[in-house]
């Protein structure tokens, strides 16, 4: 039996998403080996490399991509750098898992999609919520028509802001580096998850936002250049309509989806509490289904490795990332039509 060599992984950028998600994810996945990391903070890079047993450290991501030590990379850098780093990686023959959003403009995303096809490499976007066992279980329930035809939904993904997750990540507040505010940060999670759960594509009908320039900030915090809260109205091709709320001003982490169907309602909770709750129109009480056992595998990193080894199309391909980004761009077009308020 032919045994494939482990896929050698390099991680570019060592912020919290890399340290708390990508690196441990690859460490647990089979068929791969962490071989290189990149960071401008040398001491931090050495500490992380030692923790995960990674032999090569780079301060210049170009050098990492030009090296013979990696076959594929995770890109965990500020949004505006996703396209140039991913493009260089594809040109150097590396497979790419890029953090969401895939890029900051649809034109950049299309450039990456074309490059992946030209160089015959896997391009996948880190829309990790669709890999959550609760999301996968909910998708199966919706696909089985458990609550009937879904005609409406409402969602909310809000928290205390990016610095609550990564205290040194001031780049989130820069339009140049982030490409937007809460919508660019959290919108990809919700839009991709909705498309996956409903098996459908959405149209942006409207969006309004609140800027955070006058929002109280701690000592040393930069001015928030983008929106801190955004409310969107979507309509899906099959007819479901609903709202998406994303924001950085909540006092707690909220991540909820509600789907309203002809037979009942499905509630999906990715924060604290029961993950899935069903309520039916013809019976009293609530049902709390267990998570489907098959929904715990693969992880997003295992799936990325499998796509490289097997040639499969990723569940979150470059095209999926582009569709999500096009929704975000449509939201910003509505916001720029003077639908913005400021603190």
């Amino acid at each position: 039996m032919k045994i494939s060599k482990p896929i050698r992984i390099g991680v570019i950028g060592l912020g919290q998403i890399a340290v708390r998600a990508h690196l441990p994810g690859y460490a647990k996945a089979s068929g791969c080996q962490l071989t290189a990391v990149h960071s401008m903070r040398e001491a931090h890079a050495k500490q992380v490399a030692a923790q995960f047993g990674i032999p090569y450290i780079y301060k210049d991501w170009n050098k990492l991509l030009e090296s013979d030590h990696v076959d594929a990379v995770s890109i965990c850098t500020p949004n505006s750098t996703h396209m140039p780093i991913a493009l260089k990686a594809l040109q150097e023959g590396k497979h790419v898992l890029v953090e969401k959003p895939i890029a900051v403009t649809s034109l950049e995303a299309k450039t990456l999609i074309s490059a992946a096809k030209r160089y015959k490499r896997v391009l996948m976007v880190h829309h990790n919520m669709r890999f959550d066992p609760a999301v996968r279980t909910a998708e199966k329930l919706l696909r089985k028509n458990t609550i009937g035809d879904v005609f409406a939904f409402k969602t909310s993904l809000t928290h205390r802001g990016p610095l609550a997750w990564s205290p040194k990540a001031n780049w989130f507040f820069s339009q140049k580096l982030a490409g937007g505010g809460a919508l660019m940060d959290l919108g990809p999670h919700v839009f991709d998850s909705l498309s996956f759960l409903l098996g459908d594509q959405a149209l942006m009908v409207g969006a309004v936002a609140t800027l955070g320039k006058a929002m109280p900030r701690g000592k040393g915090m930069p001015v928030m250049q983008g929106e801190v809260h955004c409310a969107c109205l979507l309509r899906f091709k099959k007819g479901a309509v609903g709202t998406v709320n994303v924001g950085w001003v909540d006092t707690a982490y909220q991540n909820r989806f509600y789907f309203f169907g002809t037979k009942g309602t499905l509630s999906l909770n990715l924060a604290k509490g029961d993950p899935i709750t069903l309520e039916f129109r013809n019976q009293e009480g609530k049902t709390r289904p267990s998570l489907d056992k098959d929904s715990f595998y693969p992880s997003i990193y295992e799936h990325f490795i499998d796509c490289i080894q097997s040639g499969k199309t990723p569940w979150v391909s470059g095209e999926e990332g582009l569709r999500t980004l096009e929704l975000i761009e449509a939201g910003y077009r509505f916001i720029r039509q003077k639908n913005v308020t400021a603190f």
Side-chain angles (χ1 to χ4, degrees), residues 5 173 180 199 205 208 260 279:
K5 292 182 179 179
F173 304 138
V205 179
V208 291
F260 305 96
E279 296 181 79

Side-chain angles (χ1 to χ4, degrees), residues 80 104 171-181 225-227 332:
S80 65
V104 292
W171 63 265
F172 277 100
F173 304 138
S174 165
Q175 284 289 106
K176 180 179 180 181
L177 294 176
Q225 296 177 349
E227 72 287 350
Y332 281 125

Side-chain angles (χ1 to χ4, degrees), residues 9 19-34 51-52 296-303 305:
I9 303 293
V19 174
R20 294 166 64 174
H22 289 250
L23 288 164
Y26 286 120
K28 294 176 183 176
S30 59
C32 67
Q33 178 183 3
L34 286 164
Q51 178 183 352
F52 290 94
F296 288 86
Y297 178 87
S299 70
I300 190 169
Y301 310 101
E302 290 164 330
H303 180 62
I305 298 303

